[in-house]
């Protein structure tokens, strides 16, 4: 079993739809990260959170530490949101602080 | 632009060869991480350096090694290359990996990656 599980693996949406990507983890963490990987391969950090909720533009990330679960929401989705979204956790383990364990990613395609 | 640079962008080489990938962190960032992204394994942590010292090792093969220099740039050396080493190699940087800032954990800034193809 992977330490970080994401769902769904693939997601196709129509422009304007509300999108949710889920992430569950099984290890103790100091923070959870949401990353976006563009079709060209570049990776951008969207959010880092250790509690509660963060919002940036049309993106919202939430985390429930007790349930070891996080969600990434995209409101009013747009074709330019098409990318792979990756959940990663900073692992609380001696000698591993700061290192990331990654989920396998969710490939999002938003159709016009 | 994250401020992290990686060279080269693309690298094609043959099995058995040795290559060096280079990473320059964002100005002021002390920590450098190396990650490998392959089709079958996804993203995996390889190794972390902080201010010139190795801090943590992940799934890094013995054929691979890395170092961080006094100017904080880092190099990842891959030797005796095999077909399975073909992957995207990313480096990332952060200021302080120990979360001394108020927020726990650290945002990592990723470079554009080096795409390695071993033929």
């Amino acid at each position: 079993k992977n330490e970080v599980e994401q769902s769904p693996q693939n997601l196709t949406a129509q422009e304007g739809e509300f999108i949710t990507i889920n992430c569950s983890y099984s290890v103790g963490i100091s923070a959870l990260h949401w990353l976006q990987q563009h079709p060209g391969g570049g990776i951008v950090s969207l959010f880092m959170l250790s509690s509660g909720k963060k919002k940036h533009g049309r993106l919202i990330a939430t985390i429930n530490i007790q349930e070891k679960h996080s969600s990434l929401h995209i409101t009013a989705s747009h074709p330019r949101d098409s990318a792979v979204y990756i959940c990663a956790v900073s692992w609380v383990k001696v000698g591993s602080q700061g290192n990331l364990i990654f989920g396998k990613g969710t490939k999002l395609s938003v159709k016009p | 632009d994250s401020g992290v640079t990686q060279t080269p962008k693309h690298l094609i080489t043959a099995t058995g060869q040795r290559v060096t990938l280079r990473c320059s962190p964002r100005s002021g960032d002390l920590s450098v991480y190396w990650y490998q992204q392959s089709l079958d394994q996804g993203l995996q942590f390889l190794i972390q350096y902080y201010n010139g010292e190795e801090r943590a090792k992940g799934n890094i093969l013995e054929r691979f090694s890395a170092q961080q220099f006094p100017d904080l740039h880092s190099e990842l050396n891959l030797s005796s290359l095999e077909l399975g080493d073909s992957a995207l190699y990313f480096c990332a940087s952060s200021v302080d990996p120990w979360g001394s800032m108020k927020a726990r954990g650290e945002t990592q800034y990723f470079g554009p990656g080096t795409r390695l193809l071993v033929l």
Side-chain angles (χ1 to χ4, degrees):
Chain A
K1 186 181 185 299
N2 296 324
E3 290 94 348
V4 181
E5 298 275 2
Q6 279 186 244
S7 63
Q9 280 189 304
N10 294 283
L11 184 54
T12 300
Q14 287 299 125
E15 184 173 356
E17 285 185 2
F18 181 85
I19 289 163
T20 296
I21 299 170
N22 295 300
C23 175
S24 297
Y25 55 92
S26 58
V27 295
I29 69 169
S30 59
L32 184 140
H33 306 251
W34 282 102
L35 310 171
Q36 180 192 54
Q37 186 167 28
H38 300 292
I43 295 176
V44 174
S45 181
L46 298 175
F47 294 103
M48 183 194 68
L49 61 166
S50 53
S51 65
K53 177 178 174 179
K54 286 190 175 180
K55 184 175 189 288
H56 181 69
R58 295 180 294 104
L59 301 179
I60 303 167
T62 64
I63 187 169
N64 184 318
I65 296 294
Q66 287 72 30
E67 295 186 3
K68 295 188 175 179
H69 180 269
S70 175
S71 293
L72 176 68
H73 306 286
I74 305 175
T75 61
S77 59
H78 190 276
R80 65 175 174 265
D81 297 326
S82 299
V84 176
Y85 292 83
I86 302 169
C87 172
V89 299
S90 296
W91 196 5
V92 174
K93 178 183 175 186
V94 173
S96 295
Q97 286 92 332
N99 309 331
L100 298 180
I101 306 172
F102 300 88
K104 294 200 179 297
T106 295
K107 185 174 182 180
L108 171 65
S109 178
V110 181
K111 306 294 185 187
Chain B
D1 184 359
S2 67
V4 179
T5 61
Q6 286 188 252
T7 56
K9 285 187 180 178
H10 302 276
L11 197 48
I12 302 175
T13 188
T15 55
Q17 295 298 306
R18 173 190 168 95
V19 297
T20 297
L21 312 184
R22 182 187 169 103
C23 169
S24 292
R26 290 188 326 155
S27 177
D29 283 0
L30 301 177
S31 196
V32 170
Y33 310 80
W34 285 98
Y35 298 98
Q36 179 194 57
Q37 186 177 36
S38 60
L39 280 175
D40 53 344
Q41 297 286 339
L43 270 163
Q44 291 191 99
F45 165 70
L46 294 178
I47 196 163
Q48 176 199 359
Y49 279 83
Y50 177 77
N51 204 19
E53 293 186 4
E54 181 184 306
R55 277 299 171 95
K57 265 186 173 179
N59 299 322
I60 188 166
L61 300 171
E62 285 190 11
R63 301 182 285 109
F64 296 179
S65 65
Q67 54 184 328
Q68 187 179 28
F69 295 86
D71 66 352
L72 301 177
H73 91 271
S74 178
E75 293 181 356
L76 179 67
N77 301 296
L78 314 177
S79 61
S80 302
L81 285 167
E82 302 175 0
L83 296 177
D85 298 327
S86 296
L88 258 174
Y89 291 85
F90 289 99
C91 82
S93 72
S94 66
V95 173
D96 176 350
W98 309 119
S100 62
M101 296 170 63
K102 286 183 180 178
R104 297 177 69 193
E106 275 285 324
T107 295
Q108 294 187 18
Y109 297 88
F110 285 77
T114 293
R115 192 175 296 273
L116 173 66
L117 180 58
V118 182
L119 299 175

